[in-house]
Short mmCIF file of all heavy atoms in Angstrom, two decimals:
data_model
loop_
_atom_site.label_atom_id
_atom_site.label_comp_id
_atom_site.label_asym_id
_atom_site.label_seq_id
_atom_site.Cartn_x
_atom_site.Cartn_y
_atom_site.Cartn_z
N LEU A 1 182.98 11.78 166.50
CA LEU A 1 183.41 13.12 166.91
C LEU A 1 184.72 13.51 166.26
O LEU A 1 184.87 14.61 165.72
CB LEU A 1 183.53 13.19 168.44
CG LEU A 1 182.23 13.14 169.23
CD1 LEU A 1 182.52 13.06 170.72
CD2 LEU A 1 181.36 14.36 168.93
N MET A 2 185.70 12.63 166.32
CA MET A 2 187.00 12.92 165.73
C MET A 2 186.89 13.09 164.21
O MET A 2 187.52 13.98 163.62
CB MET A 2 188.00 11.82 166.06
CG MET A 2 188.41 11.78 167.52
SD MET A 2 189.43 13.21 167.98
CE MET A 2 190.33 12.58 169.38
N SER A 3 186.09 12.26 163.59
CA SER A 3 185.92 12.38 162.14
C SER A 3 185.26 13.70 161.79
O SER A 3 185.61 14.33 160.78
CB SER A 3 185.10 11.21 161.60
OG SER A 3 183.75 11.26 162.05
N SER A 4 184.35 14.15 162.63
CA SER A 4 183.68 15.43 162.39
C SER A 4 184.67 16.59 162.47
O SER A 4 184.54 17.58 161.74
CB SER A 4 182.56 15.65 163.41
OG SER A 4 181.55 14.66 163.26
N GLY A 5 185.67 16.47 163.35
CA GLY A 5 186.70 17.50 163.43
C GLY A 5 187.45 17.62 162.13
O GLY A 5 187.72 18.74 161.66
N PHE A 6 187.78 16.50 161.51
CA PHE A 6 188.50 16.53 160.24
C PHE A 6 187.63 17.09 159.12
O PHE A 6 188.10 17.88 158.29
CB PHE A 6 188.98 15.13 159.87
CG PHE A 6 190.30 14.78 160.49
CD1 PHE A 6 190.38 13.82 161.49
CD2 PHE A 6 191.47 15.39 160.08
CE1 PHE A 6 191.59 13.49 162.07
CE2 PHE A 6 192.69 15.08 160.65
CZ PHE A 6 192.75 14.12 161.65
N VAL A 7 186.37 16.68 159.09
CA VAL A 7 185.48 17.16 158.03
C VAL A 7 185.28 18.67 158.14
O VAL A 7 185.34 19.40 157.15
CB VAL A 7 184.13 16.42 158.08
CG1 VAL A 7 183.14 17.05 157.12
CG2 VAL A 7 184.32 14.94 157.75
N TYR A 8 185.05 19.15 159.35
CA TYR A 8 184.83 20.58 159.58
C TYR A 8 186.07 21.39 159.20
O TYR A 8 185.98 22.41 158.50
CB TYR A 8 184.48 20.79 161.05
CG TYR A 8 184.05 22.19 161.42
CD1 TYR A 8 182.70 22.54 161.43
CD2 TYR A 8 184.98 23.16 161.79
CE1 TYR A 8 182.30 23.82 161.79
CE2 TYR A 8 184.59 24.44 162.14
CZ TYR A 8 183.24 24.76 162.14
OH TYR A 8 182.85 26.03 162.48
N ALA A 9 187.22 20.94 159.66
CA ALA A 9 188.46 21.64 159.34
C ALA A 9 188.75 21.58 157.85
O ALA A 9 189.21 22.56 157.25
CB ALA A 9 189.62 21.03 160.13
N GLY A 10 188.47 20.43 157.24
CA GLY A 10 188.72 20.27 155.82
C GLY A 10 187.92 21.24 154.98
O GLY A 10 188.42 21.81 154.00
N LYS A 11 186.68 21.47 155.36
CA LYS A 11 185.84 22.41 154.62
C LYS A 11 186.43 23.81 154.66
O LYS A 11 186.42 24.54 153.67
CB LYS A 11 184.42 22.42 155.20
CG LYS A 11 183.61 21.16 154.90
CD LYS A 11 182.24 21.24 155.53
CE LYS A 11 181.42 19.98 155.23
NZ LYS A 11 180.08 20.02 155.88
N ALA A 12 186.95 24.18 155.81
CA ALA A 12 187.52 25.53 155.98
C ALA A 12 188.84 25.69 155.24
O ALA A 12 189.20 26.80 154.85
CB ALA A 12 187.71 25.84 157.46
N LEU A 13 189.56 24.59 155.07
CA LEU A 13 190.89 24.66 154.46
C LEU A 13 190.91 24.17 153.02
O LEU A 13 191.98 23.99 152.44
CB LEU A 13 191.87 23.83 155.30
CG LEU A 13 192.10 24.34 156.73
CD1 LEU A 13 192.90 23.33 157.54
CD2 LEU A 13 192.80 25.70 156.72
N ALA A 14 189.74 23.97 152.44
CA ALA A 14 189.66 23.49 151.05
C ALA A 14 190.37 24.46 150.12
O ALA A 14 190.31 25.68 150.29
CB ALA A 14 188.20 23.34 150.64
N GLY A 15 191.08 23.90 149.14
CA GLY A 15 191.79 24.71 148.16
C GLY A 15 193.27 24.85 148.47
O GLY A 15 194.03 25.34 147.64
N LYS A 16 193.70 24.41 149.64
CA LYS A 16 195.11 24.53 150.02
C LYS A 16 195.85 23.22 149.77
O LYS A 16 195.38 22.16 150.16
CB LYS A 16 195.23 24.93 151.50
CG LYS A 16 194.67 26.32 151.81
CD LYS A 16 194.86 26.67 153.27
CE LYS A 16 194.32 28.07 153.57
NZ LYS A 16 195.14 29.13 152.92
N THR A 17 197.00 23.32 149.15
CA THR A 17 197.84 22.14 148.94
C THR A 17 198.96 22.07 149.98
O THR A 17 199.68 21.08 150.04
CB THR A 17 198.46 22.14 147.53
OG1 THR A 17 199.18 23.35 147.34
CG2 THR A 17 197.36 22.02 146.47
N ALA A 18 199.08 23.12 150.78
CA ALA A 18 200.05 23.15 151.87
C ALA A 18 199.54 24.11 152.93
O ALA A 18 198.89 25.11 152.61
CB ALA A 18 201.43 23.58 151.38
N LEU A 19 199.83 23.80 154.19
CA LEU A 19 199.40 24.64 155.30
C LEU A 19 200.59 25.44 155.82
O LEU A 19 201.63 24.87 156.15
CB LEU A 19 198.83 23.79 156.44
CG LEU A 19 197.66 22.86 156.11
CD1 LEU A 19 197.20 22.14 157.38
CD2 LEU A 19 196.51 23.61 155.46
N SER A 20 200.43 26.74 155.89
CA SER A 20 201.44 27.61 156.49
C SER A 20 201.34 27.49 158.01
O SER A 20 200.44 26.82 158.54
CB SER A 20 201.19 29.06 156.07
OG SER A 20 199.93 29.50 156.60
N ALA A 21 202.23 28.16 158.71
CA ALA A 21 202.15 28.17 160.17
C ALA A 21 200.83 28.74 160.64
O ALA A 21 200.21 28.26 161.59
CB ALA A 21 203.32 28.97 160.76
N ASP A 22 200.35 29.77 159.95
CA ASP A 22 199.06 30.38 160.29
C ASP A 22 197.92 29.38 160.10
O ASP A 22 197.05 29.23 160.97
CB ASP A 22 198.83 31.61 159.42
CG ASP A 22 197.56 32.35 159.77
OD1 ASP A 22 197.48 32.92 160.87
OD2 ASP A 22 196.62 32.33 158.95
N ASP A 23 197.91 28.68 158.97
CA ASP A 23 196.89 27.66 158.71
C ASP A 23 196.98 26.54 159.75
O ASP A 23 195.95 26.05 160.24
CB ASP A 23 197.09 27.03 157.32
CG ASP A 23 196.93 28.02 156.19
OD1 ASP A 23 196.07 28.92 156.29
OD2 ASP A 23 197.67 27.89 155.18
N PHE A 24 198.19 26.13 160.06
CA PHE A 24 198.41 25.03 161.00
C PHE A 24 197.87 25.39 162.37
O PHE A 24 197.22 24.56 163.03
CB PHE A 24 199.91 24.73 161.07
CG PHE A 24 200.26 23.58 161.96
CD1 PHE A 24 200.00 22.28 161.58
CD2 PHE A 24 200.88 23.80 163.18
CE1 PHE A 24 200.33 21.20 162.41
CE2 PHE A 24 201.22 22.75 164.02
CZ PHE A 24 200.94 21.44 163.63
N ALA A 25 198.12 26.61 162.83
CA ALA A 25 197.60 27.03 164.13
C ALA A 25 196.08 27.06 164.12
O ALA A 25 195.43 26.66 165.10
CB ALA A 25 198.16 28.41 164.49
N LYS A 26 195.49 27.51 163.02
CA LYS A 26 194.03 27.57 162.91
C LYS A 26 193.41 26.17 162.90
O LYS A 26 192.27 25.99 163.33
CB LYS A 26 193.62 28.32 161.65
CG LYS A 26 193.90 29.81 161.69
CD LYS A 26 193.54 30.47 160.37
CE LYS A 26 193.81 31.97 160.42
NZ LYS A 26 193.56 32.62 159.10
N LEU A 27 194.16 25.21 162.40
CA LEU A 27 193.66 23.84 162.30
C LEU A 27 193.20 23.32 163.66
O LEU A 27 192.18 22.63 163.76
CB LEU A 27 194.75 22.93 161.72
CG LEU A 27 194.45 21.43 161.64
CD1 LEU A 27 193.24 21.17 160.76
CD2 LEU A 27 195.68 20.69 161.10
N TYR A 28 193.92 23.64 164.71
CA TYR A 28 193.56 23.15 166.05
C TYR A 28 192.17 23.66 166.46
O TYR A 28 191.35 22.90 166.98
CB TYR A 28 194.60 23.61 167.07
CG TYR A 28 195.93 22.91 166.98
CD1 TYR A 28 196.96 23.44 166.22
CD2 TYR A 28 196.16 21.72 167.67
CE1 TYR A 28 198.19 22.81 166.14
CE2 TYR A 28 197.39 21.08 167.59
CZ TYR A 28 198.40 21.64 166.82
OH TYR A 28 199.61 20.99 166.75
N MET A 29 191.91 24.94 166.23
CA MET A 29 190.62 25.50 166.61
C MET A 29 189.51 24.99 165.71
O MET A 29 188.39 24.69 166.18
CB MET A 29 190.67 27.03 166.58
CG MET A 29 189.42 27.70 167.15
SD MET A 29 189.13 27.33 168.92
CE MET A 29 190.42 28.35 169.67
N LEU A 30 189.79 24.87 164.43
CA LEU A 30 188.78 24.34 163.51
C LEU A 30 188.39 22.92 163.89
O LEU A 30 187.20 22.57 163.89
CB LEU A 30 189.34 24.36 162.07
CG LEU A 30 189.49 25.73 161.42
CD1 LEU A 30 190.31 25.62 160.13
CD2 LEU A 30 188.12 26.34 161.13
N PHE A 31 189.39 22.12 164.22
CA PHE A 31 189.12 20.74 164.61
C PHE A 31 188.25 20.70 165.87
O PHE A 31 187.25 19.97 165.93
CB PHE A 31 190.44 19.99 164.85
CG PHE A 31 190.27 18.51 165.04
CD1 PHE A 31 190.32 17.65 163.95
CD2 PHE A 31 190.06 17.97 166.30
CE1 PHE A 31 190.16 16.28 164.13
CE2 PHE A 31 189.89 16.61 166.48
CZ PHE A 31 189.95 15.76 165.39
N ALA A 32 188.63 21.49 166.87
CA ALA A 32 187.86 21.52 168.12
C ALA A 32 186.44 22.00 167.88
O ALA A 32 185.48 21.44 168.43
CB ALA A 32 188.56 22.42 169.14
N ASP A 33 186.27 23.01 167.04
CA ASP A 33 184.94 23.53 166.74
C ASP A 33 184.09 22.47 166.03
O ASP A 33 182.88 22.38 166.27
CB ASP A 33 185.03 24.78 165.87
CG ASP A 33 185.45 26.02 166.64
OD1 ASP A 33 185.40 25.99 167.89
OD2 ASP A 33 185.84 27.01 165.99
N GLY A 34 184.71 21.69 165.16
CA GLY A 34 183.98 20.63 164.48
C GLY A 34 183.49 19.56 165.44
O GLY A 34 182.35 19.08 165.34
N VAL A 35 184.35 19.20 166.38
CA VAL A 35 183.96 18.21 167.40
C VAL A 35 182.84 18.77 168.28
O VAL A 35 181.87 18.07 168.58
CB VAL A 35 185.17 17.81 168.26
CG1 VAL A 35 184.75 16.93 169.43
CG2 VAL A 35 186.22 17.09 167.41
N ALA A 36 182.98 20.03 168.67
CA ALA A 36 181.96 20.66 169.52
C ALA A 36 180.61 20.75 168.82
O ALA A 36 179.56 20.49 169.43
CB ALA A 36 182.43 22.05 169.94
N ALA A 37 180.64 21.10 167.55
CA ALA A 37 179.39 21.23 166.80
C ALA A 37 178.68 19.89 166.69
O ALA A 37 177.44 19.82 166.82
CB ALA A 37 179.68 21.78 165.40
N ARG A 38 179.42 18.83 166.49
CA ARG A 38 178.81 17.50 166.36
C ARG A 38 178.35 16.96 167.71
O ARG A 38 177.28 16.37 167.84
CB ARG A 38 179.80 16.52 165.72
CG ARG A 38 179.22 15.14 165.43
CD ARG A 38 178.01 15.24 164.52
NE ARG A 38 177.39 13.97 164.28
CZ ARG A 38 177.62 13.23 163.19
NH1 ARG A 38 178.48 13.66 162.27
NH2 ARG A 38 177.01 12.08 163.01
N GLY A 39 179.15 17.19 168.75
CA GLY A 39 178.83 16.64 170.06
C GLY A 39 177.89 17.49 170.89
O GLY A 39 177.41 17.04 171.94
N LYS A 40 177.64 18.72 170.47
CA LYS A 40 176.75 19.64 171.20
C LYS A 40 177.22 19.84 172.64
O LYS A 40 176.41 19.94 173.57
CB LYS A 40 175.31 19.12 171.21
CG LYS A 40 174.76 18.75 169.85
CD LYS A 40 174.72 19.94 168.91
CE LYS A 40 174.11 19.54 167.57
NZ LYS A 40 174.19 20.65 166.57
N ALA A 41 178.53 19.89 172.82
CA ALA A 41 179.10 20.09 174.16
C ALA A 41 179.94 21.36 174.15
O ALA A 41 180.12 22.01 173.12
CB ALA A 41 179.94 18.89 174.56
N GLN A 42 180.46 21.71 175.31
CA GLN A 42 181.33 22.88 175.42
C GLN A 42 182.41 22.61 176.45
O GLN A 42 182.35 21.61 177.17
CB GLN A 42 180.52 24.12 175.79
CG GLN A 42 179.73 23.99 177.07
CD GLN A 42 178.80 25.17 177.30
OE1 GLN A 42 178.82 26.15 176.57
NE2 GLN A 42 177.97 25.08 178.32
N ARG A 43 183.39 23.50 176.51
CA ARG A 43 184.47 23.28 177.47
C ARG A 43 183.94 23.25 178.89
O ARG A 43 182.96 23.87 179.22
CB ARG A 43 185.51 24.38 177.43
CG ARG A 43 185.68 25.18 176.23
CD ARG A 43 186.72 26.27 176.50
NE ARG A 43 187.04 26.96 175.25
CZ ARG A 43 188.25 27.35 174.91
NH1 ARG A 43 189.25 27.18 175.72
NH2 ARG A 43 188.47 27.93 173.77
N GLY A 44 184.70 22.57 179.73
CA GLY A 44 184.35 22.51 181.14
C GLY A 44 183.36 21.43 181.50
O GLY A 44 182.96 21.31 182.67
N GLU A 45 182.96 20.62 180.52
CA GLU A 45 181.98 19.56 180.77
C GLU A 45 182.63 18.17 180.80
O GLU A 45 181.95 17.16 180.69
CB GLU A 45 180.88 19.61 179.71
CG GLU A 45 180.06 20.89 179.81
CD GLU A 45 178.96 20.97 178.78
OE1 GLU A 45 179.06 20.30 177.72
OE2 GLU A 45 177.97 21.70 179.03
N ARG A 46 183.95 18.15 180.96
CA ARG A 46 184.70 16.90 181.09
C ARG A 46 184.53 16.01 179.86
O ARG A 46 184.02 14.89 179.92
CB ARG A 46 184.27 16.15 182.36
CG ARG A 46 185.24 15.02 182.76
CD ARG A 46 184.76 14.31 184.01
NE ARG A 46 185.36 13.00 184.11
CZ ARG A 46 186.48 12.71 184.78
NH1 ARG A 46 187.12 13.66 185.42
NH2 ARG A 46 186.94 11.48 184.81
N THR A 47 184.99 16.54 178.74
CA THR A 47 184.95 15.80 177.47
C THR A 47 186.27 16.00 176.74
O THR A 47 187.17 16.69 177.23
CB THR A 47 183.81 16.28 176.56
OG1 THR A 47 184.13 17.59 176.05
CG2 THR A 47 182.48 16.32 177.30
#
């Protein structure tokens, strides 16, 4: 699950050699979305 978060976020941020504050903030949501997509879960399910 954690590895999927990195892969998902990495695909979205490809081409960047540095992350701005905007990119950095987006990284959290991208990572969470990657974990959710792999785990087929959603918030509120105690995960």
